[in-house]
Amino acid sequence: FNPLNIGFTIAAWIKVSGTCTANCTIVANSDSTGTANGFRFYYDSVNNKLKFWSKNITIATAESVGAEISENGATWQHVAVVSNPAAGYAYLYVGGKFAGLTTAAQANFPANTAAYMGQASDAADGFIGGIDDLMVFESELSDAEIHMLALGF
């Protein structure tokens, strides 16, 4: 699996608790401080946005537009990121619908390091709530495929 050459998709169902007070990591292979190269797919509870952060010397962040994520701790929501670091983009989806992008996603971040579910690589920014059906695809799923995942197919 080499996501840097072919692009990738990460999708999950999340249920965010109102006690999440900062960045709640869904999956990451980078640390919480932003000093290490890599990526983080997370919920920013301060700004109520889904984000995908990537770094290889420079930082690029895709963020959702609007406040799509519920923090009531009872609502499951489907979230996804489709990224192609070599082409420099990342698209975010909430509930199967396009929610934001960056056209500056960083290439050449470490692909051979461990990825962590529910926390950054330094065990910080833990996810408070639930993560279910986390899926990582070795390809860029289409809008229609993301929509089907959000419908439960």
Side-chain angles (χ1 to χ4, degrees), residues 9-141:
T9 302
I10 300 171
W13 286 90
I14 63 170
K15 180 171 58 172
V16 181
S17 169
T19 58
C20 178
T21 58
N23 297 329
C24 294
T25 303
I26 300 164
V27 65
N29 77 345
S30 181
D31 64 13
S32 64
T33 63
T35 56
N37 291 341
F39 74 87
R40 285 188 294 145
F41 183 38
Y42 64 99
Y43 170 65
D44 172 357
S45 69
V46 174
N47 297 299
N48 195 18
K49 294 187 180 288
L50 181 67
K51 293 189 176 182
F52 178 76
W53 174 98
S54 60
K55 179 182 178 192
N56 178 26
I57 301 172
T58 6
I59 296 172
T61 303
E63 64 181 41
S64 60
V65 288
E68 302 89 357
I69 305 295
S70 169
E71 292 184 339
N72 65 13
T75 305
W76 284 99
Q77 297 159 100
H78 189 266
V79 296
V81 60
V82 175
S83 181
N84 186 321
Y89 62 79
Y91 301 123
L92 292 170
Y93 297 83
V94 176
K97 296 181 176 120
F98 176 77
L101 75 132
T102 180
T103 55
Q106 298 299 305
N108 299 322
F109 56 73
N112 59 350
T113 60
Y116 298 84
M117 182 175 88
Q119 67 181 30
S121 64
D122 57 358
D125 287 348
F127 192 89
I128 300 172
I131 300 172
D132 197 13
D133 290 338
L134 177 70
M135 294 181 246
V136 179
F137 298 88
E138 287 186 70
S139 63
E140 300 171 54
L141 296 186

